[in-house]
PDB file of all heavy atoms in Angstrom:
ATOM      1  N   LEU A 385      -8.281  30.151  15.607  1.00 96.00           N
ATOM      2  CA  LEU A 385      -9.662  30.513  15.888  1.00 96.00           C
ATOM      3  C   LEU A 385      -9.773  31.269  17.215  1.00 96.00           C
ATOM      4  O   LEU A 385      -9.401  30.756  18.264  1.00 96.00           O
ATOM      5  CB  LEU A 385     -10.483  29.220  15.958  1.00 96.00           C
ATOM      6  CG  LEU A 385     -12.001  29.306  15.941  1.00 96.00           C
ATOM      7  CD1 LEU A 385     -12.497  29.938  14.646  1.00 96.00           C
ATOM      8  CD2 LEU A 385     -12.586  27.901  16.101  1.00 96.00           C
ATOM      9  N   PRO A 386     -10.303  32.504  17.185  1.00 96.00           N
ATOM     10  CA  PRO A 386     -10.463  33.233  18.444  1.00 96.00           C
ATOM     11  C   PRO A 386     -11.663  32.716  19.224  1.00 96.00           C
ATOM     12  O   PRO A 386     -12.570  32.097  18.665  1.00 96.00           O
ATOM     13  CB  PRO A 386     -10.699  34.674  17.981  1.00 96.00           C
ATOM     14  CG  PRO A 386     -11.366  34.526  16.647  1.00 96.00           C
ATOM     15  CD  PRO A 386     -10.759  33.293  16.028  1.00 96.00           C
ATOM     16  N   THR A 387     -11.684  32.980  20.515  1.00 95.00           N
ATOM     17  CA  THR A 387     -12.889  32.736  21.283  1.00 95.00           C
ATOM     18  C   THR A 387     -13.884  33.852  20.994  1.00 95.00           C
ATOM     19  O   THR A 387     -13.542  34.884  20.390  1.00 95.00           O
ATOM     20  CB  THR A 387     -12.596  32.716  22.789  1.00 95.00           C
ATOM     21  OG1 THR A 387     -12.173  34.030  23.199  1.00 95.00           O
ATOM     22  CG2 THR A 387     -11.522  31.696  23.135  1.00 95.00           C
ATOM     23  N   ARG A 388     -15.118  33.654  21.430  1.00 96.00           N
ATOM     24  CA  ARG A 388     -16.128  34.699  21.257  1.00 96.00           C
ATOM     25  C   ARG A 388     -15.683  35.998  21.929  1.00 96.00           C
ATOM     26  O   ARG A 388     -15.793  37.081  21.334  1.00 96.00           O
ATOM     27  CB  ARG A 388     -17.457  34.219  21.843  1.00 96.00           C
ATOM     28  CG  ARG A 388     -18.583  35.242  21.771  1.00 96.00           C
ATOM     29  CD  ARG A 388     -19.815  34.732  22.516  1.00 96.00           C
ATOM     30  NE  ARG A 388     -20.831  35.768  22.629  1.00 96.00           N
ATOM     31  CZ  ARG A 388     -21.872  35.906  21.812  1.00 96.00           C
ATOM     32  NH1 ARG A 388     -22.040  35.056  20.819  1.00 96.00           N
ATOM     33  NH2 ARG A 388     -22.737  36.880  21.993  1.00 96.00           N
ATOM     34  N   ALA A 389     -15.165  35.897  23.149  1.00 96.00           N
ATOM     35  CA  ALA A 389     -14.738  37.095  23.875  1.00 96.00           C
ATOM     36  C   ALA A 389     -13.587  37.789  23.164  1.00 96.00           C
ATOM     37  O   ALA A 389     -13.536  39.024  23.092  1.00 96.00           O
ATOM     38  CB  ALA A 389     -14.339  36.733  25.307  1.00 96.00           C
ATOM     39  N   GLU A 390     -12.655  36.985  22.626  1.00 97.00           N
ATOM     40  CA  GLU A 390     -11.527  37.581  21.896  1.00 97.00           C
ATOM     41  C   GLU A 390     -11.997  38.311  20.651  1.00 97.00           C
ATOM     42  O   GLU A 390     -11.515  39.417  20.349  1.00 97.00           O
ATOM     43  CB  GLU A 390     -10.517  36.488  21.535  1.00 97.00           C
ATOM     44  CG  GLU A 390      -9.730  35.953  22.725  1.00 97.00           C
ATOM     45  CD  GLU A 390      -8.965  34.689  22.408  1.00 97.00           C
ATOM     46  OE1 GLU A 390      -9.247  34.050  21.369  1.00 97.00           O
ATOM     47  OE2 GLU A 390      -8.091  34.340  23.212  1.00 97.00           O
ATOM     48  N   LEU A 391     -12.942  37.715  19.920  1.00 98.00           N
ATOM     49  CA  LEU A 391     -13.425  38.379  18.711  1.00 98.00           C
ATOM     50  C   LEU A 391     -14.205  39.640  19.069  1.00 98.00           C
ATOM     51  O   LEU A 391     -14.098  40.658  18.372  1.00 98.00           O
ATOM     52  CB  LEU A 391     -14.288  37.427  17.882  1.00 98.00           C
ATOM     53  CG  LEU A 391     -14.625  37.943  16.481  1.00 98.00           C
ATOM     54  CD1 LEU A 391     -13.352  38.078  15.638  1.00 98.00           C
ATOM     55  CD2 LEU A 391     -15.614  37.026  15.776  1.00 98.00           C
ATOM     56  N   GLU A 392     -14.975  39.590  20.130  1.00 98.00           N
ATOM     57  CA  GLU A 392     -15.715  40.789  20.540  1.00 98.00           C
ATOM     58  C   GLU A 392     -14.741  41.916  20.884  1.00 98.00           C
ATOM     59  O   GLU A 392     -14.988  43.083  20.545  1.00 98.00           O
ATOM     60  CB  GLU A 392     -16.629  40.485  21.723  1.00 98.00           C
ATOM     61  CG  GLU A 392     -17.488  41.678  22.115  1.00 98.00           C
ATOM     62  CD  GLU A 392     -18.469  41.385  23.223  1.00 98.00           C
ATOM     63  OE1 GLU A 392     -18.537  40.220  23.683  1.00 98.00           O
ATOM     64  OE2 GLU A 392     -19.169  42.322  23.648  1.00 98.00           O
ATOM     65  N   ARG A 393     -13.644  41.579  21.519  1.00 97.00           N
ATOM     66  CA  ARG A 393     -12.643  42.619  21.810  1.00 97.00           C
ATOM     67  C   ARG A 393     -12.033  43.166  20.529  1.00 97.00           C
ATOM     68  O   ARG A 393     -11.749  44.369  20.432  1.00 97.00           O
ATOM     69  CB  ARG A 393     -11.550  42.047  22.725  1.00 97.00           C
ATOM     70  CG  ARG A 393     -11.994  41.889  24.175  1.00 97.00           C
ATOM     71  CD  ARG A 393     -10.811  41.664  25.095  1.00 97.00           C
ATOM     72  NE  ARG A 393     -10.159  40.386  24.868  1.00 97.00           N
ATOM     73  CZ  ARG A 393     -10.509  39.246  25.470  1.00 97.00           C
ATOM     74  NH1 ARG A 393     -11.520  39.237  26.338  1.00 97.00           N
ATOM     75  NH2 ARG A 393      -9.867  38.121  25.217  1.00 97.00           N
ATOM     76  N   ARG A 394     -11.841  42.307  19.526  1.00 98.00           N
ATOM     77  CA  ARG A 394     -11.306  42.785  18.246  1.00 98.00           C
ATOM     78  C   ARG A 394     -12.289  43.747  17.580  1.00 98.00           C
ATOM     79  O   ARG A 394     -11.889  44.772  17.014  1.00 98.00           O
ATOM     80  CB  ARG A 394     -11.018  41.600  17.307  1.00 98.00           C
ATOM     81  CG  ARG A 394      -9.839  40.743  17.694  1.00 98.00           C
ATOM     82  CD  ARG A 394      -8.499  41.354  17.310  1.00 98.00           C
ATOM     83  NE  ARG A 394      -8.234  41.321  15.894  1.00 98.00           N
ATOM     84  CZ  ARG A 394      -7.496  40.379  15.274  1.00 98.00           C
ATOM     85  NH1 ARG A 394      -6.997  39.370  15.985  1.00 98.00           N
ATOM     86  NH2 ARG A 394      -7.270  40.435  13.987  1.00 98.00           N
ATOM     87  N   VAL A 395     -13.564  43.424  17.629  1.00 98.00           N
ATOM     88  CA  VAL A 395     -14.579  44.298  17.028  1.00 98.00           C
ATOM     89  C   VAL A 395     -14.619  45.638  17.757  1.00 98.00           C
ATOM     90  O   VAL A 395     -14.721  46.702  17.128  1.00 98.00           O
ATOM     91  CB  VAL A 395     -15.958  43.612  17.052  1.00 98.00           C
ATOM     92  CG1 VAL A 395     -17.058  44.588  16.667  1.00 98.00           C
ATOM     93  CG2 VAL A 395     -15.960  42.402  16.110  1.00 98.00           C
ATOM     94  N   ASP A 396     -14.553  45.601  19.076  1.00 98.00           N
ATOM     95  CA  ASP A 396     -14.438  46.822  19.892  1.00 98.00           C
ATOM     96  C   ASP A 396     -15.532  47.846  19.588  1.00 98.00           C
ATOM     97  O   ASP A 396     -15.285  49.044  19.483  1.00 98.00           O
ATOM     98  CB  ASP A 396     -13.052  47.458  19.680  1.00 98.00           C
ATOM     99  CG  ASP A 396     -12.743  48.517  20.732  1.00 98.00           C
ATOM    100  OD1 ASP A 396     -13.302  48.428  21.840  1.00 98.00           O
ATOM    101  OD2 ASP A 396     -11.978  49.453  20.420  1.00 98.00           O
ATOM    102  N   ARG A 398     -19.581  47.837  20.871  1.00 98.00           N
ATOM    103  CA  ARG A 398     -20.663  47.080  21.481  1.00 98.00           C
ATOM    104  C   ARG A 398     -21.930  47.121  20.650  1.00 98.00           C
ATOM    105  O   ARG A 398     -22.626  46.105  20.491  1.00 98.00           O
ATOM    106  CB  ARG A 398     -20.935  47.615  22.894  1.00 98.00           C
ATOM    107  CG  ARG A 398     -21.993  46.818  23.662  1.00 98.00           C
ATOM    108  CD  ARG A 398     -21.550  45.368  23.843  1.00 98.00           C
ATOM    109  NE  ARG A 398     -22.674  44.517  24.232  1.00 98.00           N
ATOM    110  CZ  ARG A 398     -22.620  43.196  24.264  1.00 98.00           C
ATOM    111  NH1 ARG A 398     -21.503  42.564  23.939  1.00 98.00           N
ATOM    112  NH2 ARG A 398     -23.669  42.490  24.613  1.00 98.00           N
ATOM    113  N   TRP A 401     -21.555  44.859  17.677  1.00 98.00           N
ATOM    114  CA  TRP A 401     -21.564  43.459  18.100  1.00 98.00           C
ATOM    115  C   TRP A 401     -22.993  42.994  18.353  1.00 98.00           C
ATOM    116  O   TRP A 401     -23.399  41.922  17.910  1.00 98.00           O
ATOM    117  CB  TRP A 401     -20.703  43.282  19.340  1.00 98.00           C
ATOM    118  CG  TRP A 401     -20.624  41.863  19.801  1.00 98.00           C
ATOM    119  CD1 TRP A 401     -21.406  41.259  20.742  1.00 98.00           C
ATOM    120  CD2 TRP A 401     -19.721  40.849  19.323  1.00 98.00           C
ATOM    121  NE1 TRP A 401     -21.045  39.934  20.886  1.00 98.00           N
ATOM    122  CE2 TRP A 401     -20.020  39.657  20.035  1.00 98.00           C
ATOM    123  CE3 TRP A 401     -18.693  40.845  18.384  1.00 98.00           C
ATOM    124  CZ2 TRP A 401     -19.315  38.469  19.819  1.00 98.00           C
ATOM    125  CZ3 TRP A 401     -17.993  39.661  18.164  1.00 98.00           C
ATOM    126  CH2 TRP A 401     -18.302  38.497  18.876  1.00 98.00           C
ATOM    127  N   PHE A 405     -24.161  40.143  15.976  1.00 98.00           N
ATOM    128  CA  PHE A 405     -23.856  38.867  16.622  1.00 98.00           C
ATOM    129  C   PHE A 405     -24.896  38.422  17.646  1.00 98.00           C
ATOM    130  O   PHE A 405     -24.887  37.258  18.051  1.00 98.00           O
ATOM    131  CB  PHE A 405     -22.489  38.931  17.321  1.00 98.00           C
ATOM    132  CG  PHE A 405     -21.312  39.028  16.393  1.00 98.00           C
ATOM    133  CD1 PHE A 405     -20.931  40.242  15.848  1.00 98.00           C
ATOM    134  CD2 PHE A 405     -20.567  37.904  16.069  1.00 98.00           C
ATOM    135  CE1 PHE A 405     -19.830  40.348  15.004  1.00 98.00           C
ATOM    136  CE2 PHE A 405     -19.473  37.994  15.230  1.00 98.00           C
ATOM    137  CZ  PHE A 405     -19.102  39.214  14.692  1.00 98.00           C
ATOM    138  N   GLU A 406     -25.753  39.302  18.097  1.00 98.00           N
ATOM    139  CA  GLU A 406     -26.619  38.940  19.220  1.00 98.00           C
ATOM    140  C   GLU A 406     -28.110  39.077  18.966  1.00 98.00           C
ATOM    141  O   GLU A 406     -28.900  38.341  19.566  1.00 98.00           O
ATOM    142  CB  GLU A 406     -26.236  39.781  20.454  1.00 98.00           C
ATOM    143  CG  GLU A 406     -24.849  39.480  20.982  1.00 98.00           C
ATOM    144  CD  GLU A 406     -24.552  40.167  22.300  1.00 98.00           C
ATOM    145  OE1 GLU A 406     -25.427  40.912  22.799  1.00 98.00           O
ATOM    146  OE2 GLU A 406     -23.441  39.975  22.825  1.00 98.00           O
ATOM    147  N   PRO A 702     -17.551  32.951  13.235  1.00 97.00           N
ATOM    148  CA  PRO A 702     -16.093  32.824  13.037  1.00 97.00           C
ATOM    149  C   PRO A 702     -15.305  32.908  14.343  1.00 97.00           C
ATOM    150  O   PRO A 702     -14.295  33.590  14.444  1.00 97.00           O
ATOM    151  CB  PRO A 702     -15.785  34.011  12.117  1.00 97.00           C
ATOM    152  CG  PRO A 702     -16.773  35.051  12.509  1.00 97.00           C
ATOM    153  CD  PRO A 702     -18.037  34.292  12.841  1.00 97.00           C
ATOM    154  N   TYR A 703     -15.806  32.210  15.356  1.00 96.00           N
ATOM    155  CA  TYR A 703     -15.082  32.104  16.612  1.00 96.00           C
ATOM    156  C   TYR A 703     -15.251  30.685  17.147  1.00 96.00           C
ATOM    157  O   TYR A 703     -16.056  29.905  16.629  1.00 96.00           O
ATOM    158  CB  TYR A 703     -15.535  33.146  17.634  1.00 96.00           C
ATOM    159  CG  TYR A 703     -17.021  33.238  17.897  1.00 96.00           C
ATOM    160  CD1 TYR A 703     -17.724  32.224  18.552  1.00 96.00           C
ATOM    161  CD2 TYR A 703     -17.736  34.368  17.505  1.00 96.00           C
ATOM    162  CE1 TYR A 703     -19.082  32.324  18.809  1.00 96.00           C
ATOM    163  CE2 TYR A 703     -19.099  34.483  17.753  1.00 96.00           C
ATOM    164  CZ  TYR A 703     -19.765  33.462  18.403  1.00 96.00           C
ATOM    165  OH  TYR A 703     -21.108  33.565  18.647  1.00 96.00           O
ATOM    166  N   ALA A 704     -14.495  30.330  18.175  1.00 93.00           N
ATOM    167  CA  ALA A 704     -14.516  28.964  18.685  1.00 93.00           C
ATOM    168  C   ALA A 704     -15.905  28.604  19.182  1.00 93.00           C
ATOM    169  O   ALA A 704     -16.513  29.357  19.943  1.00 93.00           O
ATOM    170  CB  ALA A 704     -13.504  28.836  19.821  1.00 93.00           C
ATOM    171  N   GLU A 706     -19.011  26.858  21.268  1.00 68.00           N
ATOM    172  CA  GLU A 706     -19.214  26.721  22.706  1.00 68.00           C
ATOM    173  C   GLU A 706     -18.482  25.488  23.231  1.00 68.00           C
ATOM    174  O   GLU A 706     -18.581  24.399  22.671  1.00 68.00           O
ATOM    175  CB  GLU A 706     -20.711  26.568  23.003  1.00 68.00           C
ATOM    176  CG  GLU A 706     -21.075  26.734  24.458  1.00 68.00           C
ATOM    177  CD  GLU A 706     -20.891  28.151  24.958  1.00 68.00           C
ATOM    178  OE1 GLU A 706     -21.008  29.088  24.143  1.00 68.00           O
ATOM    179  OE2 GLU A 706     -20.623  28.314  26.145  1.00 68.00           O
ATOM    180  N   ALA A 708     -15.187  25.200  23.320  1.00 52.00           N
ATOM    181  CA  ALA A 708     -13.830  25.103  22.776  1.00 52.00           C
ATOM    182  C   ALA A 708     -12.866  25.900  23.629  1.00 52.00           C
ATOM    183  O   ALA A 708     -13.171  26.988  24.098  1.00 52.00           O
ATOM    184  CB  ALA A 708     -13.804  25.623  21.340  1.00 52.00           C
TER     185      ALA A 708
END
Side-chain angles (χ1 to χ4, degrees):
L385 193 62
T387 66
R388 178 186 172 97
E390 288 168 345
L391 191 64
E392 184 176 357
R393 285 194 293 272
R394 289 281 288 263
V395 170
D396 194 26
R398 184 61 196 170
W401 182 266
F405 292 82
E406 294 188 359
Y703 51 69
E706 193 68 28

